[in-house]
């Protein structure tokens, strides 16, 4: 709670400040470090990572060795709409910082001028007459509020933190974008693999249907075997359009992510042998301890920087409790002249020869909101409450980051453990189908065992592929959870956008600075240079 100050106490504080120099009201921000993070060493997470030097997890998708995926990442970096918007928000925050920095200089710098014509009529014994006069004036006014209480310095501090937060948000969009591209890409590859399995099983079941149909027509079997074979074949056949639809939808999603209209992506198969292939990487390649990985996640960095910005805004609000001292200056020139007719226009020489006056006024001005009726004090409380909200949000962001990492690691370990068992189960199901066909042809069993074996084979093959997909998805989620994928070679503002904006507005060197600044570094703690 901020105590309400009486007028006398405020005056005393003001006098002390004037004598001792400028001060900075409001709290100084200190990063909020969660102690539990330093000891975060979940054994499941440790099992899911491998400390290696290559490849760098800032471009983790290289672990898959898939050139098609790497091309998609490059195109997404260059054309994704959300990433472009994030880059433009960095530019906006930089301009906002420029506005805040202007508070260091005189806030009022105005030049004004006026020319007024006055007409008057006089009546007397000799009749009515009229006269007119011109008045001219030019002035220059300046007002400079001294930053005794740090109002403008705190505003610059808040804008600076917001600027770095926008950069962290840009990196967070990169992390999410790369995870989405990879996840959608392997969703498509999974659908291709399942489509292949469905078509192969449909071919096997169609052959069985043809055999039972021939046996039924020759009277060697009853209609039940025929209908069962037909049912199983048509059931498998019905799954094919669903997988084809999944492939198409995944391609549409990839098209949108890389900034294209929805449509096919023929270049996805430029690297042969990747269609329907789901790689298995048994560990995530990381290069740092878990605590550092969590705290340098872009969204965690952004949450901390928003706290720093809001902390500075408390100081801006507190500065309103104290008087403002402004240096005022005015330089004015005025002249007047009279003419016999109101319509006459004086020449420049006539104006110059008319009586004129030059005035200069300089001095301080003090203003103080003494009777604010709680408005200023409650505004300080509002800003402090917002800071506390951001503090809680930051703490929750760190906890959520740890949970996401642990969940992804748990999913990856489970999928890796199931992989070998499902592979063996698929081989056993394939052998069971071969044996079932043999004993059925030799008349030692009925057709039901063949159908069971076909269903088991299809289920095991599909489960194996889906588990592989889950392993890849968990690996991608793990990289995303620890903030991997913030690197790009593309500038924040692409050349086409830069040219379009420069045609509308004079951006000076500001847009050039951001255009030449790709995200290639990890954000540093609040208050430090980047």
């Amino acid at each position: 709670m901020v105590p309400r100050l009486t007028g006398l106490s405020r005056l005393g504080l003001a006098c002390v400040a004037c004598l001792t120099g400028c001060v900075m009201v409001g709290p100084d921000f200190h990063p909020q470090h969660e102690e539990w993070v330093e000891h975060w060493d979940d054994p499941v997470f440790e099992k899911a990572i491998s400390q290696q030097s290559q490849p760098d997890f800032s471009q983790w998708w290289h672990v898959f060795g898939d050139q098609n995926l790497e091309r998609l990442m490059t195109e997404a970096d260059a054309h994704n709409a959300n990433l472009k918007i994030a880059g433009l928000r960095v530019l906006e925050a930089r301009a906002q910082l420029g506005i805040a920095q202007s508070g260091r200089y005189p806030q009022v710098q105005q030049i004004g001028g006026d020319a007024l014509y006055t007409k008057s009529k006089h009546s007397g014994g000799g009749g009515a007459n009229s006269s007119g006069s011109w008045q001219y004036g030019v002035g220059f006014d300046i007002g400079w509020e001294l930053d005794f209480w740090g109002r403008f310095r705190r505003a610059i501090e808040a804008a600076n933190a917001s600027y770095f937060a926008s950069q962290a948000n840009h990196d967070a969009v990169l992390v999410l974008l790369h995870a989405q591209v990879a996840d959608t890409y392997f969703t498509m590859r999974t659908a291709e693999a399942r489509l292949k399995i469905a078509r192969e099983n449909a071919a096997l079941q169609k052959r069985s249907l043809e055999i039972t149909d021939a046996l039924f027509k020759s009277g060697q079997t009853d209609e039940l075997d025929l209908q069962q074979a037909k049912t199983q074949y048509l059931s498998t056949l019905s799954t094919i359009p669903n997988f084809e639809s999944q492939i198409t939808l995944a391609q549409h999603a990839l098209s949108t992510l890389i900034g294209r209209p929805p449509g096919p992506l023929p270049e996805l198969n430029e690297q042969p042998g990747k269609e329907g292939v789901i790689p298995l990487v048994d560990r995530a390649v990381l290069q740092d301890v878990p605590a550092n990985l969590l705290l340098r996640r872009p969204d965690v960095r952004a949450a901390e920087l928003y706290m720093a910005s809001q902390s500075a805004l408390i100081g801006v609000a507190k500065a309103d409790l104290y008087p403002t001292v402004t240096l005022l200056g005015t330089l004015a020139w005025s002249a007047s002249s009279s003419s016999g007719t109101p319509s006459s226009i004086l020449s420049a020489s006539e104006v110059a020869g008319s009586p004129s006056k030059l005035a200069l006024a300089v001095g301080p001005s003090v203003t103080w909101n003494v009777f604010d009726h709680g408005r200023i004090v409650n505004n300080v409380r509002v800003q402090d409450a917002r800071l506390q909200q951001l503090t809680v949000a930051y703490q929750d962001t760190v906890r959520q980051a740890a949970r996401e990492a642990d969940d992804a690691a748990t999913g990856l370990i489970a999928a890796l453990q199931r992989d070998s068992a499902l592979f063996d189960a698929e081989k056993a199901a394939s052998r069971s189908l071969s044996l079932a066909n043999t004993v059925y042809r030799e008349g030692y069993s009925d057709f039901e065992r063949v159908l069971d074996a076909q269903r088991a084979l299809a289920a095991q093959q599909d489960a194996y592929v889906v588990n592989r997909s889950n392993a890849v998805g968990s690996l991608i989620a793990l990289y995303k959870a620890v903030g991997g994928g913030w690197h790009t070679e593309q500038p924040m503002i692409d050349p086409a956008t830069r040219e379009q904006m420069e045609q509308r507005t004079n951006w000076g060197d500001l847009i050039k600075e951001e255009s030449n600044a790709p995200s290639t570094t990890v954000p540093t703690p609040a208050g430090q240079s980047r």
Side-chain angles (χ1 to χ4, degrees):
M1 177 180 292
V2 179
R4 187 184 181 110
L5 301 176
T6 65
L8 183 60
S9 61
R10 291 185 187 179
L11 181 59
L13 288 174
C15 294
V16 171
C18 290
L19 292 174
T20 58
C22 297
V23 297
M24 291 267 285
V25 298
D28 293 324
F29 178 74
H30 300 286
Q32 301 287 326
H33 294 301
E34 298 294 301
E35 295 182 1
W36 64 267
V37 175
E38 299 177 2
H39 309 289
W40 179 57
D41 54 355
D42 192 304
V44 177
F45 182 84
E46 291 181 348
K47 291 179 182 179
I49 65 174
S50 174
Q51 299 290 338
Q52 299 180 13
S53 59
Q54 291 293 333
D56 188 349
F57 93 109
S58 64
Q59 292 180 297
W60 50 262
W61 50 90
H62 290 287
V63 302
F64 297 114
D66 193 323
Q67 296 177 7
N68 296 316
L69 178 59
E70 292 170 15
R71 278 191 289 268
L72 287 173
M73 293 292 188
T74 301
E75 193 165 352
D77 288 351
H79 303 295
N80 181 261
N82 290 333
L83 188 59
K84 287 185 177 182
I85 292 173
L88 292 170
R89 285 174 178 164
V90 174
L91 186 62
E92 176 189 350
R94 181 63 183 85
Q96 293 286 356
L97 176 58
I99 294 174
Q101 289 173 336
S102 66
R104 295 172 175 172
Y105 307 99
Q107 292 83 27
V108 178
Q109 304 171 65
Q110 296 179 342
I111 296 177
D114 57 77
L116 300 175
Y117 177 77
T118 304
K119 179 182 178 181
S120 59
K121 289 185 178 182
H122 305 279
S123 60
N129 56 27
S130 62
S131 63
S133 64
W134 285 90
Q135 293 180 339
Y136 308 90
V138 178
F140 174 68
D141 297 326
I142 185 170
W144 192 350
E145 180 183 336
L146 302 182
D147 197 16
F148 274 115
W149 318 112
R151 179 201 310 276
F152 300 111
R153 282 171 288 166
R154 289 297 192 192
I156 293 172
E157 182 182 332
N160 190 59
S162 295
Y163 170 60
F164 283 109
S166 68
Q167 291 182 325
N169 283 331
H170 177 270
D171 293 343
V173 172
L174 268 175
V175 171
L176 178 60
L177 173 62
H178 292 151
Q180 287 178 328
V181 170
D183 196 55
T184 306
Y185 176 77
F186 286 113
T187 295
M188 182 192 69
R189 293 306 189 198
T190 300
E192 291 174 346
R194 298 180 74 184
L195 175 62
K196 181 181 178 182
I197 292 171
R199 286 174 173 170
E200 290 175 350
N201 280 282
L204 289 174
Q205 294 164 11
K206 183 179 180 181
R207 178 58 181 163
S208 296
L209 175 61
E210 292 172 347
I211 293 174
T212 54
D213 184 52
L215 293 174
F216 172 69
K217 290 179 179 178
S218 64
Q220 299 181 44
T221 186
D222 54 25
E223 186 180 358
L224 178 61
D225 289 347
L226 173 63
Q227 295 303 327
Q228 287 179 325
K230 187 176 182 179
T231 300
Q232 183 145 297
Y233 167 66
L234 293 176
S235 177
T236 302
L237 202 63
S238 67
T239 63
I240 292 178
N242 183 44
F243 295 136
E244 292 175 337
S245 175
Q246 291 179 17
I247 295 170
T248 302
L249 294 177
Q251 290 180 346
H252 290 172
L254 284 173
S255 298
T256 303
L257 288 171
I258 63 177
R260 294 189 194 176
L265 300 171
E267 69 273 21
L268 287 180
N269 295 318
E270 291 182 2
Q271 183 182 7
K274 293 297 182 180
E275 183 176 1
V277 174
I278 307 171
L280 185 68
V281 180
D282 60 355
R283 292 292 185 274
V285 180
L286 304 179
Q287 297 175 305
D288 215 334
V289 296
N292 291 345
L293 293 174
L294 280 189
L295 294 180
R296 72 179 182 183
R297 261 180 54 148
D299 59 337
V300 173
R301 296 295 310 123
E304 184 178 16
L305 288 163
Y306 282 133
M307 291 168 56
S309 177
Q310 184 59 39
S311 176
L313 291 179
I314 296 177
V316 175
K318 279 189 174 181
D320 290 336
L321 290 168
Y322 305 97
T324 61
V325 180
T326 305
L327 296 179
L328 300 177
T330 299
L331 179 63
W333 172 86
S334 61
S336 61
S337 62
S338 300
S339 60
T341 60
S343 60
S344 62
I345 304 299
L346 300 181
S347 65
S349 60
E350 291 175 321
V351 173
S354 61
S356 62
K357 180 174 64 175
L358 184 65
L360 174 65
V362 179
S365 172
V366 179
T367 59
W368 199 351
N369 290 320
V370 180
F371 303 107
D372 59 79
H373 303 288
R375 179 183 60 84
I376 298 175
V377 172
N378 282 296
N379 184 43
V380 174
R381 293 167 180 164
V382 167
Q383 303 304 325
D384 187 78
R386 290 175 179 173
L387 174 59
Q388 194 60 36
Q389 294 171 37
L390 292 174
T391 301
V392 175
Y394 169 78
Q395 295 169 348
D396 186 63
T397 299
V398 177
R399 286 192 294 267
Q400 291 294 336
R403 182 191 63 80
E404 290 174 9
D406 284 344
D407 289 351
T410 301
L412 177 60
I413 295 300
L416 294 176
Q417 292 173 343
R418 293 187 65 202
D419 185 74
S420 59
L422 288 172
F423 178 78
D424 293 339
E426 179 187 350
K427 296 301 181 184
S430 178
R431 176 60 177 166
S432 296
L433 178 59
S434 177
L435 293 174
N437 283 326
T438 299
V439 296
Y440 173 69
R441 286 194 299 268
E442 294 179 357
Y444 292 108
S445 69
D446 57 16
F447 190 64
E448 184 66 29
R449 298 188 65 180
V450 175
L451 294 175
D452 290 341
Q454 288 178 345
R455 282 193 292 265
L457 175 61
Q460 291 301 325
Q461 288 177 328
D462 192 69
Y464 177 69
V465 168
V466 170
N467 184 68
R468 277 285 182 103
S469 177
N470 291 338
V472 171
S474 296
L475 181 65
I476 294 170
L478 182 56
Y479 279 120
K480 174 179 173 290
V482 295
W486 40 261
H487 177 87
T488 178
E489 297 292 344
Q490 299 294 329
M492 287 189 181
I493 311 297
D494 62 273
T497 301
R498 170 182 165 182
E499 181 180 358
Q500 185 181 17
M501 296 179 69
E502 287 181 328
Q503 289 177 354
R504 295 193 304 262
T505 304
N506 178 16
W507 282 91
D509 294 331
L510 189 62
I511 197 170
K512 296 178 182 178
E513 295 174 2
E514 300 302 334
S515 297
N516 298 325
S519 297
T520 55
T521 58
V522 178
T524 56
Q528 300 181 15
S529 60
R530 182 167 179 170

